[in-house]
């Protein structure tokens, strides 16, 4: 029987004043009973608009129908026919702006909790089954995958299933890309990412860590000397941006990438790890995206008494997910909106002691309809902090493009690819994810990886 409640089943969570002191997962997940009840809110629409909102075209009404019947195994099989990382996507995808934004139930209430149901199904499978896949028969061809983030994992998995000998070259000491160095444990437990990587290994994918392509090896050497038949570049967008204001070179100023990498990948939050990170009492995070929210929430958990988000537009313009903003506020993060930093202050010993901000107001809309922030003259004020984290965007690292022949990039440093095949301007070399689009979402990166895998297969079959 259909559940016509206008609201989603509430997600169980840790209490804010408890979770802001630990790195355990915030959202606790649905029980089986909750999942069935939420699944019964789906109308199983004939035209399936939610599927069109998913970058990897998960057959959403079909898997939800199986959940509603209590057949969670069948639901998992439906999801994984197009999505190799459901436990990841169920946690970090911006469903509210993708599949759930197209849900008919959202017209007169809340959309069906598609992401929550996807997470439930994936977690149920890991708890009750979690069988490793069998290695397929080899087809005699080799593909190199540079990077091990979501785009690379999706590409490697699809190619391995087709019998290709796939080798992943990862710059860090651990595979997973942004899933392990960027997204905090309390949003995406690393054990879940590791299980997905273990499945790739079971398919025969070889993972080589500490391999900085462009330094240790070049793409040219991978092709010409090592005999790989094709290469996929999924190196992400790991080069941080700074504002160019006075004081950014002071001790106590981090890029969000460095700050999160020290905490997440190098486990600075665990006492048994000797990872150096500043013992901060007051932290200002500059930016308004999901990465800024992650950095601010990590700072609180690392023991900072005061944590501020400083963002030059209003909350309405914030690119972060509504859920992340909501969680940050619950956890005691203070928001300084319509504020723009102009200087980071020196305590006289080369260390941060404050951040000077200028109040802003939104001006007239531009051609796109977006209102640009305009400074309010004479409105400067200082926030007393000992740490500043810059989270104002990233771009692709130039190392690959500067050491590889025949790769074209755009003015932002992103690789230029064919939109239909994701092939770069060099034959046999493909790319996807943030290395092509700039910083975007996990699911969009996965979609690009899957598209490239299909194109690589076609290319090598016809070569």
């Amino acid at each position: 029987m259909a559940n016509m409640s206008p609201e989603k089943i509430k997600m169980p969570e840790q209490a804010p004043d408890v979770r802001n002191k630990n790195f355990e997962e915030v959202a606790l997940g649905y029980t089986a009973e909750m999942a069935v009840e939420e699944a019964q809110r789906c109308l199983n629409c004939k035209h399936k608009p939610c599927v069109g909102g998913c970058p990897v075209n998960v057959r959403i009404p079909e898997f939800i129908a199986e959940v509603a019947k209590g057949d969670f195994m069948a639901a998992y099989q439906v999801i994984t026919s197009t999505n190799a990382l459901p436990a990841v996507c169920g946690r970090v995808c911006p469903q509210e702006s993708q599949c759930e934004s197209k849900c008919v139930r959202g017209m007169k209430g809340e959309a069906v909790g598609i992401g929550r149901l996807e997470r439930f199904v994936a977690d149920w499978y890991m708890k009750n089954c979690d069988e490793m896949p069998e290695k397929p028969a080899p087809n005699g061809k080799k593909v190199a995958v540079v990077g091990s983030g979501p785009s690379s994992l999706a590409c490697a998995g699809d190619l391995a299933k087709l019998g290709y000998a796939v080798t992943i070259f990862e710059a860090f000491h651990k595979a997973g890309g942004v899933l392990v160095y960027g997204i905090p444990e309390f949003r995406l437990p690393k054990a879940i990412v590791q299980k997905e990587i273990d499945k790739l290994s079971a398919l025969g994918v070889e993972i080589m860590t500490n391999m900085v392509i462009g330094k240790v090896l070049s793409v040219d050497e991978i092709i010409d000397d090592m005999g790989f038949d094709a290469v996929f570049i999924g190196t992400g967008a790991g080069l941080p941006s700074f504002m160019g204001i006075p004081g950014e070179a002071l001790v106590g100023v981090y890029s969000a990438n460095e700050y999160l990498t020290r905490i997440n990948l190098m486990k600075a939050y665990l006492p048994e790890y000797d990872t150096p990170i500043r013992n901060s009492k007051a932290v200002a995070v500059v930016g308004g995206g999901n990465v800024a929210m992650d950095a601010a929430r990590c700072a609180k958990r690392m023991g900072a008494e005061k944590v501020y988000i400083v963002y030059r537009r209003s909350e309405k313009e914030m690119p972060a997910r509504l859920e992340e903003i909501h969680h940050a506020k619950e956890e005691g993060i203070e928001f300084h909106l319509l504020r723009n930093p102009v200087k980071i202050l020196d305590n006289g010993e080369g260390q941060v002691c404050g951040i000077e901000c200028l109040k802003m107001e939104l001006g007239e809309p531009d051609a796109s309809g977006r209102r640009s922030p305009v400074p309010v003259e004479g409105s400067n004020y200082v926030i007393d902090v000992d740490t500043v984290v810059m989270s104002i965007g990233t771009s692709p690292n130039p190392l690959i493009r500067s050491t590889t022949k025949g790769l074209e990039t755009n003015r932002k440093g992103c690789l230029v690819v064919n939109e239909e095949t994701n092939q770069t301007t060099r034959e046999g070399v493909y790319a996807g994810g943030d290395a092509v689009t700039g910083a975007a979402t996990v699911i969009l990166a996965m979609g690009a990886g899957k598209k490239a895998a299909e194109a690589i297969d076609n290319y090598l079959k016809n070569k």
Side-chain angles (χ1 to χ4, degrees), residues 236-237 394 396 410 412 414-415 417 422 431-441 444-445 448:
T394 55
N410 62 21
K412 295 182 178 179
C414 299
L415 293 170
V417 299
N422 274 58
D434 293 1
V436 172
T437 61
T441 64
L444 285 171

Side-chain angles (χ1 to χ4, degrees), residues 63-111:
F63 101 74
I64 291 179
E66 298 296 345
V67 175
K69 293 188 292 187
D71 192 342
F72 306 138
M73 175 62 82
Y76 182 81
Q77 292 169 342
V78 172
I79 295 172
T80 52
S81 67
T82 59
N83 182 2
L85 305 174
V88 173
C89 293
R91 286 168 165 83
V92 303
C93 275
Q95 290 95 1
E96 68 276 5
S97 61
Q98 294 180 159
C99 54
E100 292 183 16
S101 72
K102 310 293 184 184
C103 179
V104 173
R105 290 301 305 267
M107 296 172 65
K108 293 184 178 179
E110 292 183 337

Side-chain angles (χ1 to χ4, degrees), residues 67 83 92 100 113 132 164 200 208 223 275 379 407 422 436 441:
V67 175
N83 182 2
V92 303
E100 292 183 16
M132 286 293 168
Y164 290 95
L200 287 184
M208 298 183 68
I223 296 171
T275 304
S379 62
L407 292 182
N422 274 58
V436 172
T441 64

